[in-house]
Amino acid sequence: MLWQRKRGRNSLPSGRGGFQETHRALRVRAAMHGRSTEAEIRAILEVAVLPESRIKLGTYLAEISREVGGFNIEIERDQTPNEPISFE
């Protein structure tokens, strides 16, 4: 795990020099986003590893629909009034 408990507070391993400055900048960035430092690390990793051009399911299905010439769906809404809810 990234975090280690040390004298009652979270700390990151302190590699070769300069890491304290990086950790301070990370804490500032997390505060600016209203997150914990750990949540900020997760957000940074997510942005770094997820492809920007990933296609979501709805986009993919719309693309398939266009390729086959689209389709029309006629949906008729049921106009029957709903029964009132009884809480007894």
Side-chain angles (χ1 to χ4, degrees):
M1 179 173 254
L2 268 179
W3 300 96
Q4 298 173 338
R5 277 286 191 200
K6 190 175 193 179
R7 288 190 217 123
R9 60 184 270 236
N10 289 328
S11 64
L12 290 168
S14 60
R16 293 182 182 233
F19 192 78
Q20 279 75 20
E21 183 65 23
T22 303
H23 188 208
R24 185 193 66 73
L26 181 60
R27 284 193 325 262
V28 168
R29 179 176 167 156
M32 288 172 48
H33 292 127
R35 300 188 264 235
S36 68
T37 307
E38 188 171 352
E40 187 66 25
I41 290 169
R42 278 193 236 109
I44 291 168
L45 289 173
E46 186 174 310
V47 168
V49 300
L50 289 177
E52 289 180 25
S53 61
R54 71 182 178 151
I55 297 176
K56 296 184 180 176
L57 181 60
T59 304
Y60 182 62
L61 293 173
E63 183 181 319
I64 291 172
S65 171
R66 281 191 294 276
E67 288 175 3
V68 297
F71 58 90
N72 291 323
I73 298 177
E74 291 185 29
I75 300 175
E76 218 174 286
R77 183 173 178 202
D78 181 6
Q79 299 294 325
T80 308
N82 293 326
E83 294 287 325
I85 297 175
S86 173
F87 293 103
E88 295 178 14

